[in-house]
Amino acid sequence: MYAPRIAAAVLLSTVFLAAGCTYPRARAAADTTVTLEFGGLQRQYLVHYPANRPQGPLPAVLAFHGGGGTARNLAETSGFDKLSDTEGFIAVYPDGYERSWNDGRGADTKAGAAGIDDVGFVAAVIDRLVGGDGVDPSRIYATGMSNGGMFTEQLGCRLSGKLAAIAPVAGPLPQADESDCTPAHPLPVFEIHGTTDPIVPYDGGVVRVTSGRHGAGTSPVLSVDATQQWWRERDGCADATTTQLPPRTDDGTSVTLRSADCRNGSAVQLYTVTGGGHTWPGGQQYLPEAIVGKVTHQFDAADVIWRFFARFSA
């Protein structure tokens, strides 16, 4: 068993799974909280409209917090608000049910235990964004970390008709989602995962810390390599190539890019962060390395995710 201090810190990590960046909020006044009744619940999401909003329909990036996190926390730490202002997309941060997402792992998350239809909720959010916020339906993207990353994988499986690309961070495909994952089109996928992630193992298995519980879960995830192979097969990809990225700093981590070109101009890519932990690349060391592993500063996650997304439209 954990000592009390370590147990408390591990529990705290579930609250801040998506924390770890130091980007300033660009225009807090531009953020709007929207309430949407869905499935008998009052659900909410936070929207950041870009400063000096361009004319015409805009892209939208939906970003999903980790287990125990919140939309506000992710908006304040991920860096997407800053990019929204400079790149001209709408950043959207939904709030999970009791700070969790039903990612397919059943009772390993509170939302899963309650049978929450989070996929339906996200579909309703997208419909409102397109109908009421002038979002371009062909340029809607999804990303998330940890529980939010695994949920992003499920959205790729079940909501690909409304998405142009996905980018899970520290969130491989849950095994429970594998058998009925039927994307409607070759879906561009960009993943980021650290090799020394102590919470969501790079080599697959059960998640060590899940929303609302201590210890390991019971519903495993695929390994990162198996997740990538799964998407390459579904997308009809060519053989993947591997490139070692040049270091930006000496922080004890390094990054390898594995990339495959796929049908209909799509792509499947992976940033493997050797020595990286369960953290948001480019952010702060929000908890000790002994608990969450090391933060890499070889790249900024929001920046590379947006550059991948911007290549694709549905």
Side-chain angles (χ1 to χ4, degrees):
M1 294 180 62
Y2 300 114
R5 182 175 299 177
I6 296 298
V10 171
L11 178 61
L12 183 62
S13 73
T14 69
V15 179
F16 295 106
L17 287 179
C21 293
T22 58
Y23 303 101
R25 299 298 302 279
R27 284 184 65 200
D31 292 353
T32 302
T33 299
V34 180
T35 299
L36 174 65
E37 184 173 352
F38 183 83
L41 300 171
Q42 296 294 312
R43 304 294 301 267
Q44 291 187 328
Y45 59 96
L46 188 67
V47 182
H48 181 87
Y49 300 97
N52 304 313
R53 179 171 177 166
Q55 295 295 317
L58 299 184
V61 173
L62 279 68
F64 297 92
H65 61 74
T70 66
R72 177 67 65 182
N73 172 247
L74 188 58
E76 292 177 347
T77 61
S78 64
F80 283 117
D81 276 10
K82 180 180 177 181
L83 278 174
S84 167
D85 289 338
T86 59
E87 301 297 325
F89 63 84
I90 295 176
V92 184
Y93 309 91
D95 263 317
Y97 172 81
E98 296 192 11
R99 300 191 174 199
S100 71
W101 300 103
N102 184 355
D103 60 17
R105 291 180 297 131
D108 279 9
T109 71
K110 290 183 178 180
I116 300 299
D117 181 11
D118 277 328
V119 173
F121 167 58
V122 173
V125 170
I126 291 173
D127 289 344
R128 179 174 284 194
L129 291 169
V130 172
D133 289 287
V135 165
D136 183 347
S138 70
R139 293 187 293 164
I140 299 173
Y141 312 97
T143 185
M145 180 174 169
S146 190
N147 177 208
M150 289 175 265
F151 180 57
T152 299
E153 299 266 11
Q154 191 182 67
L155 291 176
C157 294
R158 299 178 57 193
L159 205 62
S160 61
K162 292 181 179 291
L163 297 173
I166 63 171
V169 179
L173 183 69
Q175 284 188 17
D177 292 335
E178 185 180 11
S179 62
D180 61 352
C181 184
T182 54
H185 59 91
L187 184 69
V189 177
F190 175 60
E191 298 194 66
I192 300 171
H193 208 116
T195 60
T196 55
D197 185 330
I199 294 174
V200 181
Y202 189 94
D203 292 329
V206 295
V207 176
R208 177 184 170 198
V209 175
T210 57
S211 177
R213 61 182 296 162
H214 292 190
T218 60
S219 184
V221 297
L222 298 180
S223 70
V224 175
D225 289 343
T227 300
Q228 283 277 296
Q229 181 62 30
W230 193 95
W231 283 110
R232 287 197 298 267
E233 290 175 358
R234 293 305 181 279
D235 284 359
C237 302
D239 291 339
T241 60
T242 301
T243 306
Q244 186 73 36
L245 301 187
R248 276 188 8 178
T249 185
D250 183 12
D251 65 358
T253 68
S254 59
V255 182
T256 301
L257 167 64
R258 189 184 306 163
S259 181
D261 295 328
C262 311
R263 288 196 312 266
N264 297 352
S266 62
V268 174
Q269 294 187 349
L270 167 69
Y271 267 22
T272 293
V273 184
T274 301
H278 195 75
T279 52
W280 187 260
Q284 291 181 332
Q285 187 68 51
Y286 62 99
L287 283 172
E289 288 184 26
I291 297 173
V292 296
K294 185 187 291 290
V295 178
T296 184
H297 292 281
Q298 305 298 343
F299 64 97
D300 295 325
D303 180 64
V304 298
I305 288 169
W306 171 248
R307 285 192 282 109
F308 181 82
F309 283 166
R311 295 167 49 193
F312 302 104
S313 60

